Amino acid sequence: MNYIGTIGEKEVRVSVRETGVARYAVTIDGQEHLVDAHQVQSSVWSVLYGETSFEVDVQGKDEEFEVLISGDCYKFTLMNEQRRAMIRAGGKGAAGKAMVTSPMPGKVVKLLVKEGQEVKADQGVIVVEAMKMENELKSAVAGKVKEIFVKEGEVVESGAKLLLVE
Amino acid sequence: MNYIGTIGEKEVRVSVRETGVARYAVTIDGQEHLVDAHQVQSSVWSVLYGETSFEVDVQGKDEEFEVLISGDCYKFTLMNEQRRAMIRAGGKGAAGKAMVTSPMPGKVVKLLVKEGQEVKADQGVIVVEAMKMENELKSAVAGKVKEIFVKEGEVVESGAKLLLVE
Amino acid sequence: MFRKILIANRGEIAVRVLRACREMGIRTVAVYSEVDRNALHVRYADEAYLIGPPSASESYLVIDKIIDIAKRSGAEAIHPGYGFLAENPRFADRCETEKIRLIGPSAHAMRTMGSKTIARKTVQAAGVPVVPGTVEPIATEEDVFRVAKEIGFPVMLKATAGGGGKGMRLVREEGELRSSLRMAKSEAKSAFSDDSVYIEKYIEKPRHVEIQLLGDRHGNYVHLCERECSIQRRHQKVIEESPSVIVTPEMRAAMGKVAIEAARSVRYEGAGTCEFLVDAKRNYYFLEMNTRLQVEHPVTEMVTGIDIVKEQIRVAAGEKLSIRQEDVRQIGHAIECRVYAEDPDRNFIPCPGLVTSLRTPGGPGVRDDSGVFEGFEIPIYYDPIISKLVAWGKDRTEAIARMKRALTEYVVTGVKTTIPFHIRVMNNRHFIEGNFDTNFIDKVFFKEEEERQLENEDVALITAAIQVFLEERKRAMAQKPAESAGPVSMWKYSTRPGIRKLG
Amino acid sequence: MFRKILIANRGEIAVRVLRACREMGIRTVAVYSEVDRNALHVRYADEAYLIGPPSASESYLVIDKIIDIAKRSGAEAIHPGYGFLAENPRFADRCETEKIRLIGPSAHAMRTMGSKTIARKTVQAAGVPVVPGTVEPIATEEDVFRVAKEIGFPVMLKATAGGGGKGMRLVREEGELRSSLRMAKSEAKSAFSDDSVYIEKYIEKPRHVEIQLLGDRHGNYVHLCERECSIQRRHQKVIEESPSVIVTPEMRAAMGKVAIEAARSVRYEGAGTCEFLVDAKRNYYFLEMNTRLQVEHPVTEMVTGIDIVKEQIRVAAGEKLSIRQEDVRQIGHAIECRVYAEDPDRNFIPCPGLVTSLRTPGGPGVRDDSGVFEGFEIPIYYDPIISKLVAWGKDRTEAIARMKRALTEYVVTGVKTTIPFHIRVMNNRHFIEGNFDTNFIDKVFFKEEEERQLENEDVALITAAIQVFLEERKRAMAQKPAESAGPVSMWKYSTRPGIRKLG
């Protein structure tokens, strides 16, 4: 299988081949790495790279990964090559920049703006409370509040759309 | 559902009725007990009996149960009433008394008897090693060794038939 | 001694108190909200009572309900833990009226020390240096602006009834004042049902050092030496240790004496803590007194061998303190890391959710005070604390090495946690050298982290790629037979080596 | 100091040594058999090398393989843990030849003390009282019968190379002698590749008290006080504590001195233990010296604050002991319970298998040294130890209460464990009073247990019935739609209230 990894600005080509029980040859930009990898607990892997031992916690949602090794967090995306080709062709993935979403489950305490109101980039637009801490969320872009999807007092999930600025 | 519980020599009639989410009315010999029971981890239950809180570990295989509460082990069988009626009618369950089985996974180190040999009750008949400890297993009954199912050096599972004395 | 105690709390601190009671042979009563039915405190208690919906204001904070359960269960005393009702003098009054012993100081002591402004006044009168600022809550927005300009920026806005970093805002310049005031008041209102705030001069590069105290009804007091809690984020402690690297024996004795005087002034009973700010010249300023068990009490227990919760219970039952000042020895060094369900890489945003797997560290010198288990869903309604990990060593170097070792053993999946953050702090040169103040995390640490090179990018990428590869194959295996359910497609799969084994 | 150490062991003790190395900043090399690929020691190490099939005689016991990995990995030293190669003088010789430092005493010390008969001779010559018996291995069956009758029954048969209760048999009368001899020899053969045995007089009602020692290359010795290990089953220790209730300060000093003399006689280096039997009149008899780290070393670490494994590593690297005798303080009381995958209700039969869920105890004064995790399959090939749970308290009463509390928190499902057994011991009146000897478990405890009334039969039955009820319904739900897949039967189910929710 072939994948495209995106780490910051950098893109790498990754392919995986199974070479035995729990053994894999993983090629990154042409360089082959042989590993012995066992999924030992939920998302935790024991990886022997040569004889060097790593515990690796792979947290991934869709194609976005956050991988923990010894307290260091590696963030990147990893996408099946065909899938990416399809998405590119379809033109998806452009929107969302101006969408304010809730980074955690919580309760909407206060809306700081109204629909139609002009906002600056980095201006606070909504306050969400989780675990007794209030978090003021900001608009990433300057523009006009196009739509507000929630009401004050509403309980929202992590990732819920809160409001759209255009 | 109705069950027959057997605790030592004693038999009790048990029935279970669901009365709400995670709430049950369990009747034992006519006396009704109302409990709030949640399976919290594998075989571990959190039970509120009235307001008294118990952690209960229910280990059961087939109809045989070993239940742990605060370090005390309660052993009993619990069988669906209909199923027991069927088994009784079929006349199963008589054999096995003279069968020597391995109480743990291990390796057969030594056979102390041959087929056809007379043995006394409580006579050691086979030595099974597990985790570097040798365990001499005894025949529960006096009689003749009818059949030996294993060879020395053989690795056996827990519950494996080792030999039959009749 | 009490035969039965109600624990009016949840999470790790409820478990902590339950453990002490169980070791003392005292029966325990837990209370729980609807989302906490399976929580550890319910399972570790002898009895457990439902007290309402998830929201704390409808359950753990409702005095009537707690008192009602205490009476129904026949509990003779209530341990409030920290947070919730722990420093609520109305609750203390009510317990007295109902003849139920509250394990904590008197309502009078709570009121005096609980209002930061009155506490400042009291202590200042006794000659203890305090940080410049107002001694009264400030009434109007105009006053806030006026006083802030008088003292000069930066200033701190603090909730009069505050604690735990809630209702607290640092304001560096006038332009930030209005919005910070609104946030501080709003937080204070929702956390303490009291939105009054006061202002203090903000001391640059301060270190936070506090003295743990115990007092009994018979007028005996001991201090259990200091803890340093300068490693904070959002003004909330995240790493604490004892001893403090900046405290000399003389300073320890002096601060201990002052702290005991402060306690004595309100006839303090039970466990309490006097917090001080220490500036670069080792001047210390009384900050406030916490009239409750502190989150970070375990570090003191590790170096002194004294079980603070058991002492609390004993003195609440009228017994004398079992220790004299000369018996208190600070042996070795202890560090505590608070493990929260938060994302340290996204400004510590809370990450409640299901704990899908858990491996707690063990071995020598390690203590874990946890309130979760594998399969527990960390609720959105309360503090996101998972556990407090404490490491003891014969000196600070060993304690840090041990903490790092324990943190790397700690596995919590399903929710993001502050474990990686703590590992990085333990590796930080300034932290190891003891060279930090309360701004360290926000001002120094994260900047240094940004510049640090990560070493194992390849391994991270390789492992994620293998996981994706296996997941895709699993999906393919699950779909293919259904989509084109003929024997041909099955056969096609089975001939590819290694495929069947792992499907 | 070493830069890299190979740990020639597995399970909890490998993890224990790995933790010490990690805290000292020393790189670690693990070795593992085919069944141990996912074991904790492989995951905690910096490097890991496969050394063969599951059977220890083809992996962990193969000197050539261990030496080969040490060379390939560049390890400068090997820690053998306990068991396996820990007291094998041929391994010590080989390490010396290969210029790899073995973390342990010299081959000479191992040989002298490792042969129980030579050790007895050596110590007896120095005037230390030993138990009556042979000082040579016994060659023929006739000799065994003759000597046994001379000393008089009961006698103990013991493997010359023995340890850990293996190759050991108590013989009460002549009729049992032949079969016991066969078993002892056979066990000794398979455990130590040496079937020679010797005979000792069996002392009635003895207590087992041992002295922990440390020695360095420079002739310095300290003892770290005593441990009592009288709670045994099948002559194997299961509960250990420090201090011992029968040891007075004078006795402690005297036994410590004798133990150091024994160590000095072989120029002992590293950590070792002199075991004594103590009779009802507090006479003590040298039993043997264990030339390795003991399973039960954590109880000593808890009361002294000394990390014994780190001291081992330091003295192996040529450093002087970091402690003098006058620095050693025994503070409070510690108890260790060995948690095995065994069924205590069926004569402690091993119960290997998959650990389906795990919750380790925490909180104050609790240490858990574990080698397993949730999802680990405990192999049939090795010792069935799951973990060592240690509780510290300010006195024995608190340590027992704390241990009981911790044990009731400990959840291990999927395999039977000795946790329930330990809880019952902690509740036993004789144990609490300190009134026991090495026969306590077999002779007293189980009899008393048989007579004890259990209190919660109803709750046990109720919970099992609910589990059966839910399982049956689940099965019914899974089968019914398939068997009679019409909409009618589906509809019939869906109208029964509450059914769908839980399917």
Side-chain angles (χ1 to χ4, degrees):
Chain A
M1 287 290 194
N2 298 316
Y3 306 93
I4 305 294
T6 313
I7 310 156
E9 308 288 287
K10 187 175 62 175
E11 275 205 355
V12 291
R13 291 181 57 91
V14 182
S15 73
V16 180
R17 193 164 47 85
E18 192 171 32
T19 61
V21 175
R23 285 176 196 260
Y24 307 89
V26 180
T27 308
I28 300 177
D29 276 350
Q31 198 194 335
E32 192 176 75
H33 306 268
L34 299 173
V35 298
D36 172 348
H38 289 246
Q39 196 162 2
V40 283
Q41 258 174 303
S42 182
S43 57
V44 181
W45 292 76
S46 169
V47 175
L48 294 182
Y49 182 110
E51 264 90 17
T52 308
S53 176
F54 295 92
E55 271 206 332
V56 185
D57 181 4
V58 180
Q59 303 279 353
K61 213 162 61 176
D62 304 324
E63 281 103 359
E64 308 226 338
F65 286 90
E66 295 197 13
V67 176
L68 282 174
I69 302 174
S70 306
D72 286 333
C73 185
Y74 301 85
K75 297 182 192 187
F76 49 85
T77 64
L78 204 56
M79 202 181 277
N80 187 303
E81 210 175 25
Q82 291 140 299
R83 196 173 134 68
R84 193 171 78 143
M86 268 180 356
I87 287 173
R88 289 231 164 144
K92 281 185 205 171
K97 270 227 152 178
M99 179 71 75
V100 179
T101 58
S102 180
M104 69 273 172
K107 198 168 119 187
V108 176
V109 176
K110 201 171 178 62
L111 281 160
L112 303 174
V113 293
K114 299 209 184 90
E115 279 187 20
Q117 184 176 333
E118 292 283 339
V119 295
K120 284 178 252 176
D122 251 13
Q123 178 179 338
V125 290
I126 188 166
V127 181
V128 175
E129 180 193 286
M131 294 147 158
K132 299 279 156 225
M133 291 298 280
E134 298 195 353
N135 304 278
E136 191 176 278
L137 305 180
K138 294 167 182 179
S139 173
V141 297
K144 195 177 271 188
V145 178
K146 180 90 183 296
E147 193 174 352
I148 299 178
F149 304 98
V150 292
K151 280 182 288 230
E152 292 187 359
E154 194 172 332
V155 172
V156 294
E157 291 296 303
S158 178
K161 294 175 181 175
L162 301 177
L163 48 81
L164 184 66
V165 177
E166 269 193 2
Chain B
M1 286 291 195
N2 297 316
Y3 307 93
I4 305 292
T6 312
I7 310 155
E9 307 289 287
K10 189 175 63 176
E11 275 204 353
V12 291
R13 292 180 58 90
V14 182
S15 73
V16 180
R17 195 162 46 86
E18 192 174 32
T19 62
V21 176
R23 287 179 194 256
Y24 307 89
V26 180
T27 308
I28 301 176
D29 277 350
Q31 200 194 333
E32 192 176 75
H33 306 267
L34 299 173
V35 299
D36 172 348
H38 289 246
Q39 196 162 0
V40 283
Q41 257 175 304
S42 185
S43 58
V44 180
W45 292 76
S46 168
V47 175
L48 294 182
Y49 181 111
E51 264 89 19
T52 309
S53 175
F54 295 92
E55 272 207 330
V56 184
D57 182 4
V58 180
Q59 304 279 352
K61 213 162 62 176
D62 305 325
E63 280 104 0
E64 309 226 337
F65 287 89
E66 296 196 12
V67 177
L68 282 175
I69 303 175
S70 306
D72 286 333
C73 186
Y74 301 85
K75 295 182 191 186
F76 50 84
T77 63
L78 203 56
M79 200 180 276
N80 186 303
E81 208 175 28
Q82 289 142 299
R83 196 172 134 70
R84 193 170 79 145
M86 267 176 4
I87 287 172
R88 289 231 163 143
K92 283 185 204 168
K97 270 226 150 178
M99 180 69 77
V100 179
T101 59
S102 179
M104 69 273 172
K107 197 170 120 185
V108 176
V109 175
K110 200 170 179 63
L111 281 160
L112 304 175
V113 293
K114 298 206 183 92
E115 278 186 22
Q117 185 177 333
E118 292 283 340
V119 295
K120 283 179 255 176
D122 251 13
Q123 180 180 336
V125 291
I126 188 166
V127 181
V128 176
E129 180 192 287
M131 292 147 161
K132 297 279 156 225
M133 290 298 280
E134 298 196 351
N135 303 279
E136 191 176 278
L137 306 179
K138 294 166 181 181
S139 172
V141 297
K144 194 177 271 187
V145 178
K146 181 91 184 294
E147 193 173 353
I148 298 178
F149 305 98
V150 292
K151 282 183 285 228
E152 291 186 0
E154 193 173 332
V155 172
V156 294
E157 292 294 305
S158 178
K161 293 175 182 180
L162 302 175
L163 48 79
L164 184 66
V165 177
E166 270 194 357
Chain C
M1 185 43 64
F2 308 117
R3 279 157 305 164
K4 198 186 263 190
I5 291 177
L6 184 150
I7 293 98
N9 216 307
R10 64 176 301 285
E12 70 84 18
I13 196 61
V15 169
R16 169 68 188 93
V17 177
L18 283 161
R19 283 172 168 153
C21 292
R22 183 161 281 197
E23 290 175 15
M24 295 174 84
I26 298 169
R27 275 186 72 83
T28 49
V29 180
V31 292
Y32 64 98
S33 77
E34 282 161 8
V35 287
D36 276 339
R37 168 60 186 87
N38 290 340
L40 284 187
H41 75 285
V42 173
R43 290 150 67 189
Y44 284 4
D46 294 311
E47 299 170 31
Y49 292 75
L50 180 66
I51 48 161
S55 165
S57 60
E58 297 178 78
S59 53
Y60 297 106
L61 283 169
V62 184
I63 293 175
D64 282 343
K65 288 185 180 179
I66 304 291
I67 295 292
D68 174 53
I69 302 299
K71 288 178 166 177
R72 275 169 57 196
S73 65
E76 303 148 277
I78 298 177
H79 196 301
Y82 56 70
F84 294 141
L85 298 171
E87 291 173 293
N88 185 328
R90 285 182 302 113
F91 182 56
D93 285 336
R94 181 65 186 279
C95 285
E96 202 174 327
T97 311
E98 305 281 357
K99 307 230 176 305
I100 299 165
R101 190 80 183 89
L102 180 67
I103 298 170
S106 65
H108 166 70
M110 280 188 201
R111 280 204 175 87
T112 310
M113 293 300 182
S115 160
K116 298 198 181 181
T117 47
I118 299 174
R120 276 167 60 88
K121 243 192 286 189
T122 311
V123 175
Q124 202 169 16
V128 179
V130 299
V131 178
T134 63
V135 288
E136 300 287 350
I138 299 191
T140 69
E141 205 169 286
E142 287 72 42
D143 285 347
V144 171
F145 273 82
R146 183 181 48 77
V147 173
K149 273 183 265 183
E150 269 173 34
I151 312 180
F153 288 91
V155 298
M156 286 295 281
L157 294 176
K158 295 188 175 183
T160 305
K166 284 161 195 167
M168 198 188 260
R169 281 288 185 286
L170 166 63
V171 188
R172 291 225 158 256
E173 52 191 72
E174 196 174 341
E176 297 170 2
L177 193 55
R178 195 178 311 270
S179 84
S180 294
L181 181 66
R182 191 187 47 71
M183 303 273 277
K185 276 183 170 285
S186 162
E187 265 183 38
K189 179 86 182 176
S190 94
F192 317 111
S193 308
D194 176 358
D195 74 348
S196 59
V197 297
Y198 67 103
I199 300 186
E200 266 180 12
K201 170 77 182 161
Y202 179 70
I203 290 177
E204 299 280 355
K205 305 209 175 202
R207 296 179 74 129
H208 177 116
V209 177
E210 61 189 27
I211 301 287
Q212 174 71 55
L213 296 163
L214 288 172
D216 66 22
R217 199 173 300 176
H218 312 282
N220 301 306
Y221 293 94
V222 296
H223 73 84
L224 306 183
C225 310
E226 83 285 8
R227 293 184 289 256
E228 171 152 14
C229 318
S230 299
I231 305 297
Q232 306 184 351
R233 58 111 176 85
R234 289 184 181 184
H235 311 297
Q236 198 181 345
K237 303 164 186 170
V238 285
I239 298 175
E240 301 96 349
E241 58 184 305
S242 179
S244 159
V245 293
I246 55 153
V247 172
T248 61
E250 298 71 36
M251 203 174 150
R252 180 171 300 124
M255 290 176 82
K257 206 170 154 224
V258 165
I260 285 177
E261 286 316 311
R264 203 189 299 276
S265 73
V266 290
R267 293 204 292 169
Y268 197 87
E269 192 184 321
T273 302
C274 285
E275 299 188 331
F276 297 88
L277 282 187
V278 180
D279 69 17
K281 289 171 182 156
R282 297 197 177 168
N283 298 308
Y284 50 91
Y285 305 96
F286 176 86
L287 203 56
E288 60 173 308
M289 180 167 188
N290 295 136
T291 56
R292 57 158 196 271
L293 184 67
Q294 302 271 99
V295 176
E296 60 271 25
H297 74 278
V299 294
T300 300
E301 295 185 325
M302 294 286 267
V303 291
T304 62
I306 293 163
D307 189 318
I308 294 173
V309 177
K310 286 183 186 165
E311 288 297 328
Q312 278 192 304
I313 293 171
R314 283 194 203 102
V315 300
E319 293 185 15
K320 286 189 179 175
L321 282 177
S322 71
I323 8 151
R324 290 161 308 169
Q325 192 63 53
E326 56 267 36
D327 300 331
V328 177
R329 280 173 303 177
Q330 207 176 14
I331 298 173
H333 196 101
I335 300 180
E336 171 181 285
C337 289
R338 301 190 188 185
V339 178
Y340 287 102
E342 294 177 344
D343 187 348
D345 295 323
R346 289 192 187 83
N347 199 24
F348 296 99
I349 268 178
C351 294
L354 183 71
V355 176
T356 53
S357 93
L358 182 68
R359 186 184 69 197
T360 47
V366 172
R367 167 176 171 183
D368 185 45
D369 273 34
S370 173
V372 309
F373 58 93
E374 187 164 318
F376 183 64
E377 172 116 25
I378 297 170
I380 68 161
Y381 302 95
Y382 320 109
D383 254 10
I385 195 162
I386 291 174
S387 96
K388 299 176 322 201
L389 182 64
V390 193
W392 178 92
K394 65 182 196 310
D395 51 31
R396 189 167 187 267
T397 305
E398 182 171 66
I400 292 175
R402 191 162 273 165
M403 177 57 88
K404 191 162 75 179
R405 183 273 288 172
L407 286 164
T408 53
E409 287 175 21
Y410 214 145
V411 170
V412 182
T413 67
V415 296
K416 297 218 173 289
T417 77
T418 51
I419 293 168
F421 163 78
H422 289 301
I423 293 174
R424 292 172 221 162
V425 175
M426 293 302 132
N427 279 323
N428 182 280
R429 189 171 52 85
H430 297 292
F431 178 75
I432 291 168
E433 289 167 358
N435 178 18
F436 50 79
D437 60 55
T438 57
N439 301 310
F440 172 69
I441 294 303
D442 298 330
K443 297 287 157 56
V444 181
F445 173 74
F446 278 114
K447 258 186 212 128
E448 292 183 350
E449 276 299 293
E450 266 172 34
E451 285 157 22
R452 196 163 56 84
Q453 287 298 311
L454 305 189
E455 284 173 11
N456 296 307
E457 190 175 275
D458 274 358
V459 177
L461 203 54
I462 286 166
T463 313
I466 291 169
Q467 181 165 307
V468 172
F469 169 78
L470 293 177
E471 274 167 9
E472 282 184 357
R473 194 169 64 187
K474 204 171 178 185
R475 269 201 302 276
M477 294 287 287
Q479 285 169 4
K480 278 290 156 65
E483 282 170 11
S484 53
V488 177
S489 80
M490 285 302 285
W491 182 82
K492 192 175 122 200
Y493 262 84
S494 67
T495 57
R496 287 168 61 181
I499 293 273
R500 279 214 145 157
K501 248 176 273 168
L502 281 126
Chain D
M1 184 45 63
F2 308 117
R3 276 157 307 164
K4 199 186 262 191
I5 292 178
L6 183 150
I7 293 100
N9 215 306
R10 64 177 300 284
E12 70 84 19
I13 195 60
V15 170
R16 170 68 188 92
V17 177
L18 282 161
R19 283 173 169 154
C21 293
R22 183 159 282 201
E23 291 174 15
M24 294 173 85
I26 298 168
R27 274 186 74 82
T28 50
V29 180
V31 292
Y32 63 97
S33 78
E34 283 162 6
V35 288
D36 277 339
R37 167 62 184 87
N38 289 341
L40 283 186
H41 74 285
V42 173
R43 291 149 67 189
Y44 285 3
D46 293 312
E47 298 172 30
Y49 292 75
L50 180 65
I51 48 161
S55 166
S57 60
E58 297 177 79
S59 52
Y60 297 106
L61 285 168
V62 184
I63 293 174
D64 281 345
K65 290 186 179 178
I66 304 291
I67 295 291
D68 174 54
I69 302 299
K71 287 178 165 176
R72 274 169 57 198
S73 65
E76 305 147 275
I78 298 178
H79 196 301
Y82 56 72
F84 294 141
L85 298 170
E87 290 172 294
N88 185 328
R90 286 183 300 113
F91 182 57
D93 285 337
R94 180 68 186 279
C95 286
E96 203 174 326
T97 311
E98 305 281 357
K99 306 230 178 304
I100 298 165
R101 190 82 184 87
L102 180 66
I103 298 169
S106 66
H108 165 71
M110 279 189 202
R111 281 205 174 84
T112 310
M113 292 301 181
S115 160
K116 297 198 183 182
T117 49
I118 299 174
R120 276 167 59 88
K121 245 191 285 190
T122 311
V123 175
Q124 203 168 16
V128 179
V130 300
V131 178
T134 63
V135 288
E136 298 290 351
I138 300 191
T140 69
E141 206 169 287
E142 288 71 40
D143 285 345
V144 171
F145 272 82
R146 182 181 49 75
V147 174
K149 274 185 267 186
E150 270 172 32
I151 312 181
F153 288 92
V155 299
M156 286 296 282
L157 295 176
K158 296 189 174 181
T160 305
K166 282 161 197 169
M168 198 189 262
R169 281 290 187 283
L170 166 62
V171 188
R172 291 227 160 252
E173 52 191 72
E174 197 175 340
E176 298 170 0
L177 192 54
R178 194 178 312 268
S179 84
S180 294
L181 181 65
R182 189 186 50 70
M183 303 272 277
K185 276 183 171 288
S186 161
E187 265 183 36
K189 180 85 180 173
S190 93
F192 317 112
S193 310
D194 176 357
D195 74 347
S196 59
V197 297
Y198 68 103
I199 300 188
E200 266 180 11
K201 172 76 182 159
Y202 180 68
I203 290 177
E204 298 280 355
K205 306 210 174 200
R207 298 178 72 129
H208 177 116
V209 177
E210 61 189 28
I211 300 287
Q212 173 71 55
L213 296 163
L214 288 172
D216 67 22
R217 199 174 299 178
H218 313 282
N220 301 306
Y221 294 93
V222 295
H223 74 84
L224 305 184
C225 311
E226 83 285 6
R227 292 184 289 256
E228 170 152 13
C229 318
S230 299
I231 304 297
Q232 306 185 351
R233 58 113 174 84
R234 293 182 178 183
H235 310 298
Q236 198 183 344
K237 303 163 189 172
V238 284
I239 298 175
E240 301 96 348
E241 57 184 307
S242 180
S244 158
V245 293
I246 56 154
V247 172
T248 61
E250 297 72 35
M251 204 173 150
R252 180 172 300 124
M255 291 176 80
K257 206 170 157 224
V258 165
I260 285 176
E261 287 315 312
R264 203 189 301 274
S265 74
V266 290
R267 293 206 291 171
Y268 196 88
E269 191 184 322
T273 302
C274 285
E275 298 188 330
F276 297 88
L277 282 187
V278 180
D279 69 15
K281 290 171 182 155
R282 299 195 176 170
N283 298 309
Y284 51 90
Y285 305 97
F286 177 87
L287 204 58
E288 60 173 307
M289 181 166 185
N290 295 136
T291 56
R292 59 159 195 273
L293 184 66
Q294 301 272 98
V295 177
E296 60 271 24
H297 74 277
V299 294
T300 299
E301 296 185 325
M302 295 285 268
V303 291
T304 63
I306 293 163
D307 189 318
I308 294 173
V309 177
K310 286 183 186 165
E311 288 297 326
Q312 280 192 302
I313 293 170
R314 283 194 203 103
V315 300
E319 294 186 15
K320 287 191 180 174
L321 282 176
S322 70
I323 8 151
R324 292 161 307 169
Q325 191 63 53
E326 57 266 35
D327 300 331
V328 176
R329 279 173 303 177
Q330 209 177 12
I331 297 174
H333 196 101
I335 300 179
E336 172 181 282
C337 289
R338 299 191 189 185
V339 177
Y340 286 104
E342 293 177 344
D343 188 348
D345 295 322
R346 289 191 186 84
N347 200 24
F348 296 98
I349 268 179
C351 294
L354 182 71
V355 176
T356 53
S357 91
L358 181 67
R359 186 185 67 199
T360 47
V366 171
R367 167 175 170 183
D368 186 46
D369 272 34
S370 174
V372 308
F373 58 93
E374 187 163 320
F376 183 62
E377 173 115 26
I378 298 170
I380 68 161
Y381 303 94
Y382 320 110
D383 254 10
I385 196 162
I386 290 174
S387 97
K388 301 178 318 202
L389 182 63
V390 193
W392 178 91
K394 65 182 196 308
D395 52 31
R396 189 166 187 269
T397 305
E398 183 172 66
I400 291 175
R402 191 162 272 167
M403 178 57 87
K404 191 163 75 180
R405 185 273 290 173
L407 287 164
T408 53
E409 287 175 21
Y410 214 145
V411 169
V412 183
T413 67
V415 297
K416 297 217 174 290
T417 77
T418 51
I419 293 168
F421 162 79
H422 289 300
I423 293 175
R424 292 171 221 162
V425 175
M426 293 301 132
N427 279 321
N428 182 281
R429 190 169 50 86
H430 297 292
F431 178 76
I432 291 168
E433 288 167 358
N435 176 20
F436 50 79
D437 60 55
T438 59
N439 301 310
F440 172 70
I441 295 303
D442 298 330
K443 295 291 156 54
V444 180
F445 172 74
F446 277 114
K447 258 187 212 127
E448 292 183 350
E449 276 298 295
E450 267 172 32
E451 286 158 22
R452 197 163 56 84
Q453 287 297 311
L454 304 188
E455 283 174 12
N456 296 308
E457 191 176 275
D458 275 358
V459 176
L461 204 53
I462 287 166
T463 314
I466 292 168
Q467 181 166 308
V468 172
F469 169 78
L470 292 177
E471 276 168 8
E472 282 184 357
R473 193 169 63 186
K474 206 170 176 183
R475 270 201 301 276
M477 295 287 289
Q479 285 169 4
K480 278 290 158 66
E483 282 171 11
S484 53
V488 176
S489 79
M490 284 302 286
W491 183 82
K492 195 174 120 200
Y493 262 84
S494 67
T495 58
R496 286 169 62 182
I499 293 272
R500 281 211 141 157
K501 250 175 271 168
L502 280 125

